[in-house]
């Protein structure tokens, strides 16, 4: 009897948490999906990336609605088209300006502001919506990630973040080439880390050595590897 009561309590708690998360997702969607990304409203992000901008916002909403078994808001498709149109070709890759209101535009090859963070969004969009255009954008974002070797080695701003993005691409496509590219980038990051002095953020997950150490462990289990606190 006690076990059944505990199971019911757990079920009730999960239902309440799910209801709250659904309500919050609806609140966020209502606030920002009705605006264009270049609107002057200060509540609407002007960054394009995963950490501070539209890639992260659309990824979060899309992923939550998928997990919750809810239909994806139709307005997401319009914002995906707009964000995809902001991408700039760089060889076989695609990269996004850090901000939409910056002239001339600046670019970073990082999870926080660049193509690595976009890989997650476009793979999620392809998985949930099925449009092959999203798959093609994800592939281009992954190539931009791989083709530009950022000297920074951290999870947020550098090569450790590249490793997790390339692993995400591997899981989505099951193509061994992406796993090999992730391994190459990890080795590059480890060599670069050995050559530089330790900084003040050394013990930080996102800005220090911990993220790279985690990538070195996770790459041995590519099917379970996830970008921490994001995927």
């Amino acid at each position: 009897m006690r076990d059944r009561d505990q199971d019911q309590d757990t079920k009730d708690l999960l239902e309440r948490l799910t209801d709250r998360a659904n309500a919050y997702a609806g609140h966020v969607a209502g606030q920002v999906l009705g605006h264009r990304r270049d609107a002057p409203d200060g509540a609407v992000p002007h960054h394009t990336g995963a950490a501070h901008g539209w890639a992260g916002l659309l990824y979060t909403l899309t992923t939550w609605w998928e997990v919750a078994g809810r239909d994806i808001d139709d307005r997401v498709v319009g914002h995906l088209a707009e964000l995809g149109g902001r991408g700039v070709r760089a060889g076989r890759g695609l990269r996004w300006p850090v901000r939409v209101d910056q002239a001339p535009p600046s670019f970073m090859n990082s999870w926080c502001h660049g193509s690595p963070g976009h890989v997650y969004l476009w793979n999620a969009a392809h998985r949930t919506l099925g449009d092959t255009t999203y798959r093609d954008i994800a592939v281009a974002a992954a190539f931009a990630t791989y083709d530009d070797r950022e000297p920074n080695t951290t999870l947020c701003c550098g090569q450790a973040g590249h490793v997790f993005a390339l692993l995400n691409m591997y899981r989505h496509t099951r193509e061994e080439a992406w796993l090999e590219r992730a391994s190459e980038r990890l080795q590059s990051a480890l060599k670069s880390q050995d050559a530089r002095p330790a900084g003040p953020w050394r013990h930080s997950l996102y800005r220090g050595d911990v993220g790279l150490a985690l990538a070195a462990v996770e790459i041995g289990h590519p099917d379970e590897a996830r970008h921490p606190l994001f995927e």
Side-chain angles (χ1 to χ4, degrees):
M1 176 68 74
R2 180 177 299 177
D3 290 341
R4 286 199 298 271
D5 290 343
Q6 289 177 341
D7 290 343
Q8 186 61 47
D9 289 344
T10 300
K11 182 179 178 180
D12 292 343
L13 175 61
L14 290 175
E15 288 179 353
R16 290 197 299 272
L17 290 174
T18 300
D19 288 343
R20 290 180 183 178
N22 278 327
Y24 188 68
H27 172 72
V28 171
Q31 275 197 319
V32 300
L33 292 185
H35 297 274
R36 293 180 57 82
R37 289 189 301 106
D38 54 0
D41 187 347
V44 179
H46 293 286
H47 291 85
T48 64
H52 307 287
W54 278 95
L57 176 63
L58 295 173
Y59 171 76
T60 300
L61 290 173
T62 300
T63 301
W64 171 250
W65 286 326
E66 178 188 17
V67 171
R70 299 184 62 191
D71 292 335
I72 293 175
D73 192 305
D74 291 340
R75 291 172 295 180
V76 166
V77 176
H79 281 280
L80 287 171
E82 187 179 358
L83 184 59
R86 294 278 184 177
V88 178
R89 277 288 169 186
R92 59 182 176 174
L94 197 63
R95 58 183 187 162
W96 283 260
V98 172
R99 293 180 61 96
V100 300
D101 57 353
Q102 192 177 49
S106 63
F107 299 87
M108 292 177 63
N109 190 26
S110 61
W111 166 79
C112 56
H113 287 300
S115 297
H118 279 261
V119 171
Y120 302 92
L121 167 63
W122 298 106
N123 277 334
H126 179 232
R127 184 179 65 247
T128 56
L129 297 170
D131 190 331
T132 57
T133 299
Y134 302 144
R135 178 200 61 199
D136 295 341
I137 296 175
V139 169
F143 273 125
T145 298
Y146 176 73
D147 289 342
D148 182 8
R149 187 168 300 178
E150 166 67 41
N152 189 299
T153 62
T154 66
L155 181 62
C156 179
C157 308
Q159 295 185 58
H162 298 183
V163 174
F164 282 103
L166 295 170
L167 288 174
N168 179 278
M169 198 72 229
Y170 162 72
R171 289 193 305 277
H172 191 73
T173 64
R174 309 308 299 179
E175 295 176 6
E176 289 291 329
W178 291 113
L179 182 57
E180 293 170 3
R181 293 180 182 112
S183 181
E184 290 176 19
R185 185 50 45 88
L186 174 64
Q187 295 307 314
S188 169
L190 292 172
K191 290 178 182 177
S192 297
Q193 183 195 44
D194 289 342
R196 65 177 177 80
W201 295 88
R202 180 176 184 179
H203 301 297
S204 167
L205 172 62
Y206 268 70
R207 301 290 297 275
D209 297 341
V210 179
L212 181 56
L214 180 62
V217 174
E218 292 280 277
I219 201 169
H221 310 277
D223 289 333
E224 291 79 35
R226 297 293 187 274
H227 185 115
L229 307 179
F230 180 69
E231 271 191 279

